[in-house]
Amino acid sequence: MTALTDLLHTAADLYPDQVAVADDQNEVTYTELLTAVAHTAARLRDRVPGGGPVLLALGPGTGWVTALLGAWHAGNPAVPVDVTHPPKRLRQIAAACAATSILTSTGAPPGWADGLTSLAPATSPAPPGAAPPQVCADEETGACIWHTSGSTGVPKPVLVSHRAVAARAAVLPSWSGLTAGDRVAQLTALTFDAVLWEVLGALTSGARLQIASVRDRVPGPALPRFLSRHEINAFTTTPTCLAAAPFTELPRLRRIVLGGEELHPRPLERWIGRYDVANAYGPTETCVDAIVAEHVHPGEDPVPIGRPLPGVRAWILDAHRQPVPAGQAGELHLGGQGLATGYLDRSEETADAFPLLHLPGVDGEERVYRTGDRVRQRPDGQYVFLGRVDGRLNIGGVRLEPAEVERAAARLSGVRTAVLLTGQAGSGRPRLVLHVETDDPGLGPRLRAQLADRLPPTAVPALITAHSSLPRTASGKIDRVALARTACAPDTAVRGPVLPEDVAGWWREQTGAEAGAARDFFAAGGDSLGALLLLQLVNETYGAEITLDAFYTDPTPRFLSAILTSGSTP
C-alpha cells in the first residue's frame, strides 16, 4: 500500500461512521466511501488492464471523489476533464495522455469519447463480507495527469506521482489547521490541481468534504450562501473569485486559503481582517502548494507567498542559473519533495522545465522545476511574487500560454496573424485581448464564436480587434508595446433602456459601462468571469437558463432582453 492510500485508510479507521463526503443528494461515511472505492477499483482492474490513464468525466459530487480514489487504488492515473468544454478540446486531452477508458455516470459523452471503455464509479457500499480494498499502485505510479495550457497550441499533460501527492498530503495538517469534524468546502474546478487540497485536506484529517453544486460554485452571492448553509469551517478559492462574493459574517468559518494567482489585498480587506487567511503558491508541476504564507496580515501589501513547506527546497537564480544576492530578484526554482514526474511523453520539454543543477548546499545535482516566476526573499525568509519572466498569463487563477490562443486563432479562415495581450476589464480584473491581422474588419464576433468551439471559456478572448496590418519593429517582429497602446474599436452601439434595472446594474458592475441595446459585453469592458457572474445572477433571479455558449453568440443587452421578455431558453 502506498503512503498516500495509507493516509486515507488511517482516517477511515479512526472515523468510520463520520460523514466523509456529501453533496446535495448524498452523504457517504468513511467506511462507505472506502468500500465504494474498492468496487470502483475492482471494475477498473477487470476492464482496464495495465494501469492506463482513466478520464474522470463526471461533474462535482460524491461520485467524482469515488472515481478519483478508485483510480488511485487500481493503479490508474486519474485524468480530470471538464465535459462542458468543447469536444475538440476534450479529444485533444484524451489523445495527449493516450487514455483508453473513461469513468462517467451517464455513459461515454457523445462526440469525443468514441473508442474509450466506459465505466461508472460505484455508488453504494460493498455487500457484507466483501473483501477489503486492494491497492495496486506503488509510490512511483502516476496519481494524476493535469492538463495545463501549452505553448505548442495543445494542452500539456503534467504527470504527478503518488509519491508527490503523498508528500503534500503528509504536511497538510501542519499548516491547514483542519481537524476531525471540520467541514471543508469543495469549490475548485475539478480540472485544477487545487482540488487535491480540498479532497486530501478533508479526508486525511477526518473532516467532511462538502461538495458545492455547479450553481453554488459560480463566483458571486451564491458562495457565502453555500458557506453559511453548510456551516463550512474552511475553503480554498482564488482571490478573483472571493472578490466577486459579497462579504458576509460566517460564524463557523475559520480558515480561507487563497491561491492560483497574485493576491491583491485591497478588494479583500474585510475578509482578511475577519478570518484567518493563508496565501498559497504552487504550480501544477510542484503538486498543489509548495510555498505558503500561513497567515495574511491586514494592511500587508504586497502580500508574500510565504515560506517553503516541509520537504520543499527553493532557490532564486539569475539568467545563468546562479544564486542572486540576498534580497535581489530572480527566477524561483523549486526542488525536494512533491515535484511532478514531468510532461507525459514529452522528454525535451520535461528536461527543459526540470533541469539537473549544481546548487549551493546540495551534494551532486538537484532536480528542480523552473517556475518562470520572478521573486525576491524578504529578510524574514518569506518570498514575494514579482511577476513572470516570460509571456505566460494568469487570468482568474487559470494558467494560460498566449501561444495556445494565438495558434488556435491563426488556424481559422481570414486570420493572417494573431497576438494575445491582456487589458483591464470594467471590473478591474485583467482580460484577454486578441489582435488579429485580417482583411475582414467584421471578423471579430465570428472569430470569438469559432474560438469558443475550440478553447475552454477562460481562454476565449474578451475582446477581438481586427487590423489590416499589425505594428512591427524594425526587425519585422510584432511590436507588442505599440499594439498594447492601440485604441480599441470605437463603440457605435445604439443606447437605450432595454434591460430591467437590476440587470442593467449588474451589466454596469461587470463592464464599467452603461448597457446599450446592441453593445457587446466584452468590447464594453467585460470578461469571461464577469459574464459567468452576470448570467448566474440573471438565471437565479429570473428563472432563466442562459448558458455561456449562448451568450457568446450574441453578448448584448438586446439578447438578454429578448430572453427575459419571451421566457424562452436559448
Side-chain angles (χ1 to χ4, degrees):
M1 184 180 292
T2 69
L4 175 58
T5 49
D6 270 338
L7 292 170
L8 299 170
H9 284 257
T10 297
D13 290 340
L14 292 172
Y15 315 105
D17 299 323
Q18 290 191 27
V19 173
V21 187
D23 56 30
D24 285 348
Q25 286 79 39
N26 306 289
E27 289 186 354
V28 181
T29 68
Y30 275 86
T31 296
E32 291 170 340
L33 175 62
L34 279 191
T35 51
V37 165
H39 270 187
T40 301
R43 293 178 187 178
L44 284 170
R45 288 193 294 269
D46 290 342
R47 300 283 300 278
V48 190
V54 177
L55 301 172
L56 305 189
L58 301 112
T62 57
W64 188 89
V65 178
T66 299
L68 174 70
L69 301 183
W72 285 356
H73 280 70
N76 298 88
V79 187
V81 297
D82 187 337
V83 294
T84 67
H85 283 183
K88 292 179 181 178
R89 173 81 173 186
L90 295 172
R91 282 196 293 270
Q92 283 183 320
I93 288 175
C97 64
T100 59
S101 58
I102 182 170
L103 276 165
T104 176
S105 57
T106 57
W112 67 274
D114 296 338
L116 297 177
T117 300
S118 179
L119 304 93
T123 57
S124 59
Q134 297 180 3
V135 180
C136 293
D138 61 33
E139 291 186 341
E140 301 309 321
T141 299
C144 294
I145 298 174
W146 306 100
H147 284 81
T148 65
S149 180
S151 59
T152 61
V154 297
K156 186 163 55 178
V158 182
L159 179 63
V160 179
S161 70
H162 278 258
R163 180 191 296 274
V165 178
R168 290 291 177 265
V171 300
L172 266 173
S174 68
W175 69 270
S176 68
L178 298 176
T179 60
D182 277 346
R183 294 186 172 210
V184 180
Q186 197 288 294
L187 302 170
T188 302
L190 303 179
T191 52
F192 296 154
D193 63 336
V195 70
L196 294 184
W197 184 95
E198 299 164 329
V199 173
L200 296 175
L203 299 185
T204 60
S205 60
R208 171 189 179 122
L209 183 69
Q210 185 68 46
I211 301 175
S213 67
V214 173
R215 189 185 192 92
D216 286 335
R217 65 182 61 221
V218 174
L223 174 59
R225 287 199 297 268
F226 168 83
L227 299 174
S228 176
R229 184 168 68 252
H230 293 286
E231 300 182 325
I232 296 299
N233 304 112
F235 71 92
T236 184
T237 189
T238 65
T240 295
C241 289
L242 186 59
F247 173 79
T248 307
E249 288 286 348
L250 299 164
R252 299 285 186 177
L253 182 61
R254 187 175 68 252
R255 186 68 156 159
I256 302 174
V257 178
L258 298 177
E261 61 181 333
E262 187 175 2
L263 172 53
H264 297 288
R266 186 175 297 277
L268 303 173
E269 286 177 346
R270 297 187 69 186
W271 294 97
I272 294 172
R274 171 65 177 81
Y275 302 106
D276 188 6
V277 177
N279 188 28
Y281 168 90
T284 302
E285 288 85 349
T286 62
C287 192
V288 200
D289 301 320
I291 296 177
V292 176
E294 296 187 25
H295 306 285
V296 175
H297 301 291
E300 194 171 32
D301 192 6
V303 177
I305 58 175
R307 300 179 179 86
L309 291 175
V312 176
R313 291 191 287 273
W315 296 268
I316 303 176
L317 307 181
D318 61 20
H320 303 289
R321 297 184 178 177
Q322 297 298 313
V324 302
Q328 292 195 14
E331 182 180 1
L332 178 63
H333 291 64
L334 295 174
Q337 298 176 354
L339 291 190
T341 304
Y343 303 117
L344 191 65
D345 297 328
R346 300 189 183 191
S347 57
E348 290 186 8
E349 288 183 74
T350 298
D352 181 62
F354 297 88
L356 291 169
L357 301 180
H358 290 281
L359 295 165
V362 177
D363 292 332
E365 293 181 318
E366 173 88 6
R367 182 175 183 264
V368 298
Y369 172 62
R370 298 172 51 238
T371 67
D373 290 327
R374 292 181 66 250
V375 301
R376 64 176 176 84
Q377 191 172 23
R378 302 192 322 190
D380 65 358
Q382 296 199 81
Y383 291 84
V384 177
F385 175 78
L386 301 175
R388 293 289 301 174
V389 300
D390 56 22
R392 184 191 295 168
L393 306 175
N394 190 311
I395 304 295
V398 180
R399 183 168 121 183
L400 179 66
E401 297 280 0
E404 179 171 7
V405 180
E406 293 169 350
R407 288 173 184 265
R411 294 189 183 105
L412 301 177
S413 176
V415 177
R416 291 195 297 272
T417 306
V419 178
L420 187 72
L421 302 175
T422 55
Q424 192 173 73
S427 59
R429 294 188 299 266
R431 64 169 179 169
L432 299 178
V433 180
L434 184 68
H435 296 268
V436 295
E437 190 173 81
T438 177
D439 294 326
D440 182 357
L443 181 65
R446 298 197 308 276
L447 183 57
R448 184 189 295 123
Q450 291 174 316
L451 289 174
D453 188 46
R454 292 162 171 78
L455 298 171
T458 49
V460 177
L463 178 63
I464 300 176
T465 303
H467 305 258
S468 58
S469 62
L470 293 173
R472 284 175 165 78
T473 64
S475 62
K477 296 181 180 180
I478 299 295
D479 189 339
R480 292 176 177 263
V481 175
L483 195 56
R485 293 196 297 262
T486 302
C488 298
D491 178 20
T492 59
V494 178
R495 305 187 183 282
V498 298
L499 290 176
E501 185 176 348
D502 51 0
V503 180
W506 299 332
W507 176 288
R508 186 166 51 250
E509 289 174 3
Q510 297 306 320
T511 65
E514 296 296 331
R519 191 166 200 179
D520 185 296
F521 176 87
F522 301 102
D527 59 4
S528 58
L529 181 58
L532 282 170
L533 179 56
L534 173 65
L535 296 182
Q536 191 264 347
L537 291 169
V538 171
N539 289 339
E540 185 176 79
T541 304
Y542 290 89
E545 296 182 6
I546 307 171
T547 66
L548 188 62
D549 287 343
F551 188 60
Y552 271 132
T553 64
D554 187 8
T556 64
R558 178 183 54 205
F559 168 79
L560 294 176
S561 179
I563 297 300
L564 296 178
T565 301
S566 66
S568 62
T569 298

